[in-house]
Amino acid sequence: MPLSDENLVLRFQAGDQDAFEELFLRYRDKAYALALRMLRHPDMAADVVQETFLRLCKGLRRFRGEASFSTYLYRVVSNLCMDEIRRRQRGQQVSMSVSGEEGGRQREIAGGLSDPEEELVRKEYARRVEEALGRLPEDYRLAVVLRDVHGLSYEEMAAVMQCPLGTVKSRLSRARGMLRDILTEMELLPPGHVKTGEGRETR
Amino acid sequence: MTCDRARELLSGYLDGELDPAERQELERHLAECPGCSEELKALRKTVDLVRALPRVGMPAAAADKVRDRLRNELRGRNVLRKLSGWWAGARLASRAAVAVVVVLLVAVGFGTVYSLIAQPKMEVAGEPAGIEEMRLRQTGAEPAGKGDEAVPQQASPSASVFPDARRRPVTGYSTLFEQKIIKTAELELEVDPARIDEAQRQVVALVEGAGGFVQDFSTWTGEDRKEISVVLRVPAERFGDLLARLEELGTTKFKRVSGQDVTGEYVDVEARLRALRQQEERLLQILTMVKTVDEVLKVEMELGRIRQEIEMWTGRLRMLDNLVELSTIRLKLIAALPGPLTEGSDLLRRLWQAFLATVRYLGRLGVRLLVFLAGALPVIILVVAAWGGYRYWRRR
Ligand SMILES: [Zn+2]
């Protein structure tokens, strides 16, 4: 029978190192997926995963199970990501992901009329949705990713984002609204009644 | 209800997080406000797009690097703990002994009173966390009547300009309109390591028996576990049945089933394709009229962009169709490999755990008693003072 997370935490607290490795195996992908969506950079995401588990390794000894292990983990990951993003913003304002797109598009046109494989289309589609996510402010992005990718409940989100339940609700609502606008602007959603904002990107 | 208030509630409504009164009021508003129901539809599609993103995993090389780093860290910690443990342990033991004696003495005195005031409760370790994650996500069905837009279209004029046989069946989809639902499941099963290969064969047999196939297959063997990951595609009508059978092969560690209604998206994509083809045709006409090379280049560039977009959306339609007809099951079989270390030390570990559990319980009891003691301190001071006073008075 597989052990519960709480059980593994107890084992680790009792000195069982395999238990910690099991927790790592269980959660590395989730941690990585969250970090990657927040930072949009594979190496940095891997660094965050490492730092997260190093901290857990220290912090878990004092962990009393006020929250579930997964909530605790998500909280560490998102805090680390937010720190990294803030550091980045203080440094220089690089527009990620959008730069270099023109070149890519041009190249695709050249050979693009042959036969697009389904997989390619799927990837392209996912890439554009990811890009849209990337254009959300980081706290909005965190809310959407935690809810709609990782499937956290509102209560869990409140624990991860360290804010009241009402804030979770309103932030998620605003985040989804903004994402809808971006997706519409990118023509991934049909233009119902487009809000005329200051168009950030002109095509 | 005002539209502004309604829009604020839509997101919570999608998640089923409104209280019943709010929900009723919102639904009443939605019934009579087309603007807000449009908004709801757009939001739902937004959420669906995010939910449909492929699952991201950590690249194996990066994961191994982190694991090695963790092992180093843990080993270092252990040595340190052992060294400092002896000394600190000895000192702690003597202090603890004193504390225990004090606590026990107090406990004898106040224990009966304490048990009358407060009922101490033992915390029980929580249920397996896996259950939390077993969420069934079901996005609501699109309102009926959406299909009405899907009247069989006239052969679009662009067909003659762009006579590509591959495209024809795509435009034909709208004529056989029905609810389009993509069913997806993720399943992680823990299996007996001795039986993992057999389980894998059974999976293949089950899928093929149901008229499906294995789309993707990979195995991974680590030091302590073996994982077999497969992506199965099965006819939608056999989905539930097959899922149940697969679950019989092992212990379910993680399960997620989702049904995504893409009927609306279908209609939208088709409309978009029609519009794009018209644009394409217009550009072809313009191309015959422009004079300079520069203009020709510009128009061709635009044409290229539009054709690429047409390709993309055509592919999207084809993909949707494929996903609707064949459900996807992402299955992971996991077998824990018995390591040389874990087996022998299992008894020791259990003994150690039992010991620790008791120590922890005693610790909690001690804390409670100390808290009680703190509360009783004024009384004790009074008693001691009275006793001291009495002795002082007697000696005189
Ligand atoms: Zn309204």
Side-chain angles (χ1 to χ4, degrees):
Chain A
M1 211 202 63
L3 290 165
S4 71
D5 294 344
E6 283 72 19
N7 226 312
L8 285 170
V9 170
L10 282 175
R11 284 187 171 217
F12 174 61
Q13 285 174 338
D16 178 358
Q17 302 183 2
D18 295 346
F20 190 72
E21 216 169 301
E22 172 67 25
L23 284 169
F24 172 65
L25 287 173
R26 247 178 225 191
Y27 282 100
R28 58 173 186 205
D29 285 345
K30 284 178 186 156
Y32 181 79
L34 178 58
L36 186 66
R37 293 225 157 83
M38 291 309 292
L39 300 174
R40 302 169 59 68
H41 192 296
D43 292 344
M44 281 184 181
D47 285 349
V48 163
V49 174
Q50 170 161 316
E51 187 56 30
T52 298
F53 280 93
L54 284 176
R55 289 205 183 173
L56 288 179
C57 178
K58 289 173 196 138
L60 271 187
R61 301 206 183 277
R62 278 172 279 117
F63 182 67
R64 287 292 172 71
E66 309 87 3
S68 72
F69 173 78
S70 64
T71 308
Y72 184 43
L73 174 110
Y74 279 131
R75 189 160 73 202
V76 177
V77 174
S78 42
N79 283 346
L80 285 171
C81 288
M82 289 301 193
D83 290 349
E84 176 61 34
I85 290 170
R86 263 172 232 134
R87 206 172 309 139
R88 220 189 254 170
Q89 281 169 348
R90 248 180 281 126
Q92 82 251 54
Q93 226 92 27
V94 187
S95 75
M96 300 166 286
S97 78
V98 183
S99 57
E101 198 203 26
E102 279 315 303
R105 169 158 287 165
Q106 235 70 323
R107 208 166 40 251
E108 278 175 60
I109 291 172
L113 281 176
S114 54
D115 189 24
E117 285 299 314
E118 215 173 84
E119 189 58 30
L120 264 178
V121 175
R122 195 189 331 230
K123 274 193 188 142
E124 170 66 11
Y125 212 76
R127 192 188 64 77
R128 293 178 64 175
V129 176
E130 300 274 15
E131 192 193 318
L133 275 177
R135 281 164 61 181
L136 286 177
E138 54 276 7
D139 47 347
Y140 282 13
R141 198 184 326 154
L142 181 65
V144 169
V145 170
L146 286 177
R147 172 69 206 173
D148 292 325
V149 178
H150 292 267
L152 266 61
S153 69
Y154 281 21
E155 285 78 14
E156 288 166 328
M157 285 169 72
V160 172
M161 289 156 49
Q162 290 152 289
C163 63
L165 209 58
T167 312
V168 170
K169 271 189 203 176
S170 60
R171 196 178 293 172
L172 184 61
S173 169
R174 254 174 269 136
R176 281 168 169 172
M178 190 184 279
L179 184 62
R180 193 247 2 247
D181 287 346
I182 295 172
L183 289 171
T184 312
E185 196 183 308
M186 291 173 75
E187 298 178 354
L188 288 162
L189 281 179
H193 33 79
V194 192
K195 278 191 197 162
T196 40
E198 347 76 295
R200 262 158 297 171
E201 198 191 20
T202 42
R203 287 224 259 137
Chain B
M1 183 180 275
T2 63
C3 282
D4 280 350
R5 178 74 188 130
R7 308 258 156 137
E8 275 170 25
L9 293 177
L10 288 177
S11 164
Y13 180 67
L14 279 180
D15 292 326
E17 294 273 355
L18 295 189
D19 58 53
E22 276 178 329
R23 203 188 59 215
Q24 266 183 1
E25 214 181 326
L26 178 64
E27 278 171 351
R28 228 176 298 136
H29 179 85
L30 286 172
E32 55 199 32
C33 177
C36 286
S37 17
E38 269 306 307
E39 179 75 8
L40 176 66
K41 237 184 274 170
L43 268 188
R44 180 171 286 151
K45 261 175 236 155
T46 303
V47 169
D48 284 348
L49 279 176
V50 177
R51 289 190 181 169
L53 283 175
R55 227 176 145 185
V56 172
M58 192 167 186
D64 287 348
K65 231 172 75 185
V66 175
R67 194 196 51 200
D68 292 346
R69 174 83 180 75
L70 285 175
R71 281 189 183 156
N72 276 337
E73 176 76 17
L74 287 168
R75 211 171 294 138
R77 217 156 255 287
N78 217 26
V79 171
L80 253 178
R81 255 163 39 123
K82 266 180 196 151
L83 279 178
S84 62
W86 284 108
W87 177 234
R91 285 196 348 191
L92 251 180
S94 61
R95 270 190 225 166
V98 175
V100 164
V101 169
V102 171
V103 164
L104 281 181
L105 281 176
V106 176
V108 170
F110 296 101
T112 43
V113 186
Y114 177 76
S115 65
L116 285 175
I117 299 168
Q119 209 86 53
K121 51 176 194 270
M122 270 285 281
E123 294 105 299
V124 183
E127 271 294 289
I131 293 171
E132 284 172 24
E133 308 190 326
M134 285 166 53
R135 272 173 224 298
L136 187 100
R137 286 180 177 170
Q138 185 83 40
T139 55
E142 293 282 341
K146 246 294 191 173
D148 295 351
E149 293 173 38
V151 283
Q153 58 194 102
Q154 329 76 315
S156 77
S158 63
S160 55
V161 188
F162 216 92
D164 188 337
R166 282 199 315 270
R167 274 186 192 78
R168 302 306 299 150
V170 175
T171 42
Y173 283 144
S174 55
T175 55
L176 22 126
F177 230 85
E178 68 208 68
Q179 282 260 297
K180 305 275 187 188
I181 293 176
I182 297 177
K183 290 189 229 168
T184 317
E186 285 172 49
L187 187 61
E188 284 183 22
L189 295 176
E190 171 107 22
V191 294
D192 184 354
R195 290 191 56 249
I196 187 165
D197 292 322
E198 196 201 322
Q200 178 201 326
R201 272 193 295 279
Q202 275 175 305
V203 168
V204 175
L206 278 172
V207 170
E208 285 174 353
F213 60 94
V214 179
Q215 180 179 293
D216 195 42
F217 172 92
S218 66
T219 71
W220 176 80
T221 310
E223 232 166 278
D224 59 344
R225 58 155 56 186
K226 182 174 180 182
E227 291 182 5
I228 297 182
S229 299
V230 281
V231 178
L232 310 172
R233 304 297 306 276
V234 280
E237 64 274 12
R238 302 294 301 273
F239 176 75
D241 166 52
L242 186 72
L243 205 56
R245 297 244 199 135
L246 287 174
E247 274 191 89
E248 285 166 14
L249 295 177
T251 322
T252 307
K253 283 184 77 179
F254 175 81
K255 183 184 178 188
R256 173 153 65 208
V257 182
S258 59
Q260 186 193 357
D261 189 322
V262 292
T263 321
E265 189 182 352
Y266 241 78
V267 180
D268 291 338
V269 173
E270 280 184 327
R272 177 185 303 275
L273 272 173
R274 275 199 296 279
L276 282 168
R277 296 238 167 82
Q278 275 165 17
Q279 261 181 300
E280 183 192 24
E281 197 200 1
R282 265 203 304 280
L283 281 172
L284 283 170
Q285 280 169 359
I286 292 171
L287 199 56
T288 59
M289 293 185 278
V290 293
K291 298 277 161 7
T292 68
V293 178
D294 199 38
E295 282 171 332
V296 170
L297 279 179
K298 262 190 200 148
V299 175
E300 277 188 339
M301 195 134 128
E302 186 61 14
L303 199 56
R305 192 182 70 78
I306 285 182
R307 285 182 175 166
Q308 195 212 359
E309 203 124 314
I310 290 177
E311 289 294 337
M312 198 188 105
W313 291 110
T314 310
R316 176 68 186 164
L317 267 195
R318 227 183 294 149
M319 187 189 100
L320 281 176
D321 209 55
N322 178 286
L323 286 174
V324 168
E325 269 166 29
L326 294 169
S327 307
T328 307
I329 301 178
R330 291 172 204 283
L331 172 70
K332 203 185 233 183
L333 298 170
I334 303 166
L337 301 178
L341 257 170
T342 45
E343 201 154 341
S345 57
D346 198 43
L347 175 65
L348 260 179
R349 192 177 296 156
R350 275 161 58 193
L351 289 173
W352 177 234
Q353 295 236 307
F355 173 74
L356 276 171
T358 310
V359 168
R360 251 182 243 125
Y361 177 66
L362 280 177
R364 274 203 297 269
L365 199 66
V367 168
R368 275 210 190 95
L369 286 168
L370 279 176
V371 168
F372 179 76
L373 192 60
L377 201 60
V379 180
I380 295 172
I381 288 172
L382 269 178
V383 169
V384 169
W387 184 60
Y390 169 74
R391 283 191 46 176
Y392 179 69
W393 175 77
R394 287 253 334 235
R395 220 179 285 161
R396 277 184 110 187

